[in-house]
Amino acid sequence: MTARARSSARSIAVLASATGSEWLMIAMALVLKPDILIADELTTALDVTVQAEVLSLLDELQHETGMGLLMITHDLGVVAEAADRAVVMERGLVVETGTPRELYHAPKHPYTRKLLAAAPGKGEMRGIDPAPEAILEVRGLKKNYGGFEALKEITFTLNRGETLAVLGESGSGKSTVARLLLKLEAASGGSVHWKGQDLLPMSLRQMAPFRRQMQMVFQDPTQSLNPHMTVFQIISEAWVIHPDILPKDRWTARVAELLTQVGLEPAHAARALHQFSGGQRQRIAIARALALEPDLIICDEAVSALDVSIQAQLIDLLGKLRDELGIAFIFIAHDPPVVRDFADRVLVMKRGEIVEQGPVRQIFEAPRQSYTQKLLAAGLDADPDIQSERRAALAAG
Ligand code: ADP
Ligand code: MG
């Protein structure tokens, strides 16, 4: 490398998407005193409160040093909050540029309009069934890891066909709740009644028929499903484990039906999981869950890693399945606008405790706890005007 190339290389620092070590990465990048900082999906994996802190740090540094910031993101909220100007890209081409306000209020290109239409947090909020029938009753559920209380005696119920969102920062215990309900891990105390039966004292064998009624969809389907298996194998494996559901001569037809139901093609059955995009894999994971005819699907950050338009399509799909099949959902998420659009009721978690729970309208329109208020305020809105109002409100204390 020539001295000149080295010095120009020094003036550009790059930050890629971070999980947990973002402060260190920012510090390391800034040691180079760059003229330009490229942040590639830097805050995508972070929860809303940490994201807000990282963005405000970058903003401060920019004002102090005058460095340019190139933010690569699929999150319109990040654009509204942090950008002076934005460039919209589709399939390797710049289709539109403008200030965030210009793009939000007067998008010219159909692709920009499509992105904006997909931004979460703009739909109608859901109501609540007036005659609830509890199918899941959780009392005093707790989990200790050594001396650390990851979950501190939480209590809640879930009604038939209801969507209960679990919202909280990362590390607040959301996934632990999911793992304990499905007995992927043993609870340290409490009870979990599923349709009146306490699951916790049961052996895995005794629990099998109940376990089948509760399915799970994870953030990354390749962690729970073998990426080299074909879609047919992945879905029909459910019936190998539970042979009473469907005779073997009906498997092919049913796989085709399920794939159609989740918006894929019957011909996709022959392909391996790794040949699909992230959004398609989630559809396959949902089809696999449906193969067991569950009454409850637990989605643990199932749409969190997807970009807005794919995320919106999946939420639509889940909503359709919910209406058609009457399935209940426990919808674990760290992104408030997505929860706002999808949930009937919301549990807000902080450090292993439920700080607040209530109908989605109450949580979003009149949150009682300051923690909930902070969490909601930290969620970024795609509307630059709303973002600047929030910033002003935060600055005013
Ligand atoms: P969330 O899903 O809300 O991000 P988790 O339920 O995964 O949070 O974790 C809750 C807390 O429990 C975190 O502090 C996490 O570090 C801790 N934890 C989770 N699993 C384990 C484990 N196997 N051993 C020790 N601590 C754990
Ligand atoms: Mg989690």
Side-chain angles (χ1 to χ4, degrees):
M1 202 189 266
T2 64
R4 193 162 155 209
R6 243 195 327 271
S7 86
S8 66
R10 190 173 347 113
S11 66
I12 303 178
V14 181
L15 290 174
S17 138
T19 46
S21 56
E22 59 279 355
W23 304 115
L24 179 64
M25 287 177 38
I26 291 173
M28 278 165 49
L30 293 172
V31 165
L32 301 169
K33 295 204 190 317
D35 300 321
I36 297 175
L37 185 65
I38 301 179
D40 187 358
E41 299 281 6
L42 178 66
T43 60
T44 300
L46 305 176
D47 55 50
V48 286
T49 43
V50 182
Q51 168 169 270
E53 287 167 25
V54 170
L55 292 179
S56 107
L57 172 72
L58 286 176
D59 185 52
E60 244 172 66
L61 291 169
Q62 232 188 329
H63 279 102
E64 276 168 23
T65 66
M67 86 185 164
L69 186 56
L70 180 65
M71 299 268 280
I72 299 169
T73 182
H74 67 256
D75 186 339
L76 294 162
V78 170
V79 176
E81 169 65 20
D84 300 314
R85 211 156 50 82
V87 168
V88 182
M89 288 190 70
E90 183 194 21
R91 293 166 194 259
L93 290 175
V94 170
V95 295
E96 186 164 358
T97 68
T99 65
R101 279 200 174 77
E102 285 164 354
L103 294 177
Y104 186 83
H105 294 294
K108 293 194 187 79
H109 195 276
Y111 182 71
T112 313
R113 286 200 283 271
K114 197 179 118 195
L115 282 179
L116 286 167
K122 303 276 168 209
E124 277 285 300
M125 284 189 270
R126 301 225 327 156
I128 256 200
D129 182 358
E133 172 201 348
I135 53 170
L136 180 72
E137 295 178 86
V138 173
R139 281 193 214 101
L141 187 65
K142 70 180 191 188
K143 178 70 188 174
N144 301 334
Y145 291 109
F148 173 66
E149 295 179 289
L151 214 56
K152 302 170 192 165
E153 305 208 355
I154 66 160
T155 295
F156 66 91
T157 58
L158 174 75
N159 297 312
R160 182 175 290 285
E162 183 183 39
T163 297
L164 178 67
V166 181
L167 182 65
E169 291 171 291
S170 78
S172 57
K174 306 181 298 295
S175 296
T176 304
V177 176
R179 289 195 299 270
L180 297 187
L181 293 181
L182 297 179
K183 287 199 12 169
L184 301 176
E185 239 179 338
S188 308
S191 65
V192 173
H193 284 83
W194 173 253
K195 299 181 182 170
Q197 309 249 14
D198 190 358
L199 299 181
L200 293 190
M202 289 185 191
S203 68
L204 286 180
R205 196 196 164 96
Q206 285 171 320
M207 194 182 150
F210 304 101
R211 175 67 182 73
R212 167 196 144 185
Q213 299 166 10
M214 312 158 79
Q215 291 301 306
M216 179 118 174
V217 177
F218 296 91
Q219 175 166 345
D220 175 8
T222 55
Q223 278 182 357
S224 54
L225 304 172
N226 182 338
H228 300 291
M229 273 163 69
T230 65
V231 170
F232 179 85
Q233 286 169 327
I234 285 171
I235 295 176
S236 63
E237 194 190 35
W239 305 315
V240 176
I241 303 168
H242 298 277
D244 53 310
I245 296 180
L246 198 69
K248 209 166 180 171
D249 59 346
R250 290 222 43 227
W251 288 7
T252 308
R254 181 69 179 138
V255 167
E257 210 172 273
L258 285 167
L259 288 176
T260 311
Q261 200 164 23
V262 299
L264 295 171
E265 311 275 326
H268 285 147
R271 284 200 224 154
L273 184 65
H274 69 79
Q275 291 174 283
F276 292 89
S277 68
Q280 288 174 320
R281 286 179 195 174
Q282 269 329 17
R283 289 172 190 267
I284 293 161
I286 294 165
R288 149 98 197 194
L290 293 177
L292 289 162
E293 296 164 11
D295 293 308
L296 165 64
I297 297 181
I298 302 178
C299 294
D300 189 356
E301 308 274 11
V303 301
S304 304
L306 304 169
D307 57 39
V308 280
S309 40
I310 308 288
Q311 192 178 61
Q313 288 166 13
L314 269 165
I315 294 283
D316 267 1
L317 170 66
L318 292 174
K320 195 182 82 173
L321 295 172
R322 169 170 72 182
D323 296 342
E324 280 169 10
L325 305 171
I327 298 173
F329 282 90
I330 291 182
F331 188 77
I332 297 173
H334 64 257
D335 193 15
V338 175
V339 165
R340 180 194 171 283
D341 284 354
F342 191 61
D344 293 311
R345 217 150 44 85
V346 184
L347 297 186
V348 182
M349 289 194 63
K350 178 191 180 186
R351 295 202 195 122
E353 287 177 293
I354 297 174
V355 294
E356 178 162 11
Q357 55 176 305
V360 64
R361 235 171 236 291
Q362 183 250 302
I363 297 290
F364 278 81
E365 287 174 355
R368 295 192 181 111
Q369 301 296 323
S370 63
Y371 177 76
T372 312
Q373 291 161 7
K374 251 175 56 192
L375 199 65
L376 299 185
L380 298 177
D381 197 284
D383 184 342
D385 297 325
I386 293 183
Q387 270 318 115
S388 64
E389 271 167 37
R390 282 190 191 161
R391 259 200 313 272
L394 278 177

